[in-house]
Amino acid sequence: MVSSPRRHFPQGIRGRVSLPECVNAFLINLRLHYDYLLYGSLSRRMATMSNIQSKLSIIRHKLWKLQEESGTSAVEFALLSPLFILLLLGMVAYGIYFGAANSIQQIAADAARTAIAGLNQSERQTLVASFVTNNASGYPFVDASKLTYQANDSTADGSQFVVSIQYDARNLPIWNLFPGLAMPGTTIKRQSTIRIGGI
């Protein structure tokens, strides 16, 4: 750092100086202040530039590390994304299949409950047919045109009525996955049994 200039005054007899000496002393002090302002400002500028360069070096180092980490992340994503996408699509496809299977079971149960009002097997079959025709399309993941059903009195116990439903599930998206994966059957079969005439 440049120290503050000391003022220069000529020493005369009894503190008196002539006019030329005063002018000369003024010019010398002016030059000292000019040098101080020039070199002091320059040193401050150099210190500021050094500080800026240090900070830029730190920023460049951080950016380099960030680019390196970004490249590593991109490679990892490229390697793992196919497996992740396959897993995600498999979860969605199997979820739709299980949802359809649950809907088929619910249709069979609701149709069996509807058949209670029938007085004989023929009336119960008519009630089941009407229920399936009018309501099956309202269940999730179910295409009513692909449903088949049987509604009969139980051969093992005449006091029970059995509703069996089969659903062709080949239109579900689960079959579009890789063929090497384990797949359920293409036909979903569910049945529901209800007692005739109460307990």
Side-chain angles (χ1 to χ4, degrees), residues 94-136:
Y94 271 88
I96 292 174
Y97 179 87
F98 293 138
N102 182 72
S103 294
I104 299 302
Q105 181 62 58
Q106 192 63 40
I107 291 172
D110 292 343
R113 282 192 291 269
T114 302
I116 293 178
L119 298 178
N120 52 48
Q121 178 172 293
S122 178
E123 287 186 5
R124 288 190 284 272
Q125 290 173 341
T126 301
L127 290 172
V128 169
S130 177
F131 177 85
V132 172
T133 301
N134 296 326
N135 299 283

Side-chain angles (χ1 to χ4, degrees), residues 152-158 160 162:
N152 298 293
D153 291 341
S154 174
T155 56
D157 186 353
Q160 293 181 343
V162 180

Side-chain angles (χ1 to χ4, degrees), residues 42-43 53 59 167 170:
L42 181 60
S43 64
Q53 289 177 355
I59 292 173
Y167 181 68
R170 284 177 292 182

Side-chain angles (χ1 to χ4, degrees), residues 18-103:
S18 63
L19 180 60
E21 290 178 341
C22 287
V23 172
N24 188 33
F26 173 76
L27 293 176
I28 291 173
N29 289 324
L30 181 63
R31 179 60 183 269
L32 289 173
H33 280 284
Y34 174 77
D35 291 343
Y36 170 73
L37 292 175
L38 176 63
Y39 295 109
S41 177
L42 181 60
S43 64
R44 286 194 297 269
R45 290 179 183 175
M46 290 179 65
T48 303
M49 289 297 295
S50 176
N51 189 20
I52 291 174
Q53 289 177 355
S54 176
K55 291 182 178 179
L56 287 176
S57 177
I58 294 173
I59 292 173
R60 284 195 296 266
H61 181 68
K62 289 183 177 180
L63 288 176
W64 180 80
K65 288 185 65 178
L66 181 61
Q67 290 176 354
E68 187 180 65
E69 292 175 357
S70 299
T72 303
S73 299
V75 172
E76 291 175 352
F77 179 78
L79 292 175
L80 296 178
S81 58
L83 181 61
F84 175 76
I85 293 173
L86 177 62
L87 180 62
L88 181 62
L89 293 178
M91 291 173 61
V92 173
Y94 271 88
I96 292 174
Y97 179 87
F98 293 138
N102 182 72
S103 294

